[in-house]
Amino acid sequence: QVQLVESGGGLVQAGGSLKLSCASTRTVVTLNTMSWYRQAPGKERELVARITSIGSPVYADSVKGRFTISRGDAKNTVHLQMSNLTPRDTGVYYCNAAVSAATQIGAYWGQGTQVTVSS
């Protein structure tokens, strides 16, 4: 069973930055697709950014130019550098992963980390 553990959430003022990290508890399998989703209160969960072992990263239009997704040095880790944050970025951020690079929404989810941006 693959478990994903997120870290780095918190409270930040508008215009500030945060870096989220996600790591898998198991490295026997390679997670070729790793993504970040977020869910704001009363809204559906949405894709923020995705990175695979092939192709270029994918970003939601709302975060392009402000967020950067990257693989960590350790296997099965992913980071999300968030800059110029706005209150609309507030929500619970979830890490998602899949073994296949062709899978968009993987079977593995983290428990979520809260990001709150104050105005």
Side-chain angles (χ1 to χ4, degrees):
Q1 181 71 17
V2 174
Q3 290 184 323
L4 302 174
V5 179
E6 300 111 333
S7 61
L11 173 65
V12 64
Q13 289 187 333
S17 300
L18 279 176
K19 184 176 182 179
L20 305 182
S21 297
C22 172
S24 169
T25 57
R26 295 191 65 191
T27 58
V28 174
V29 295
T30 298
L31 301 174
N32 286 289
T33 298
M34 298 193 79
S35 307
W36 287 97
Y37 286 76
R38 68 185 179 191
Q39 188 166 17
K43 295 188 176 181
E44 294 186 353
R45 194 172 297 187
E46 63 175 357
L47 174 70
V48 176
R50 176 186 299 122
I51 189 168
T52 69
S53 57
I54 57 174
S56 301
V58 172
Y59 295 95
D61 288 342
S62 60
V63 307
K64 284 180 181 177
R66 301 187 298 121
F67 291 12
T68 301
I69 189 170
S70 62
R71 289 279 195 172
D73 292 335
K75 187 179 180 180
N76 293 345
T77 61
V78 66
H79 305 294
L80 184 69
Q81 178 67 52
M82 305 185 293
S83 302
N84 196 19
L85 287 160
T86 75
R88 290 187 177 184
D89 295 315
T90 293
V92 179
Y93 283 67
Y94 297 92
C95 182
N96 176 264
V99 172
S100 171
T103 300
Q104 292 190 341
I105 303 178
Y108 308 115
W109 290 92
Q111 80 286 355
T113 185
Q114 177 71 44
V115 171
T116 303
V117 184
S118 63
S119 59

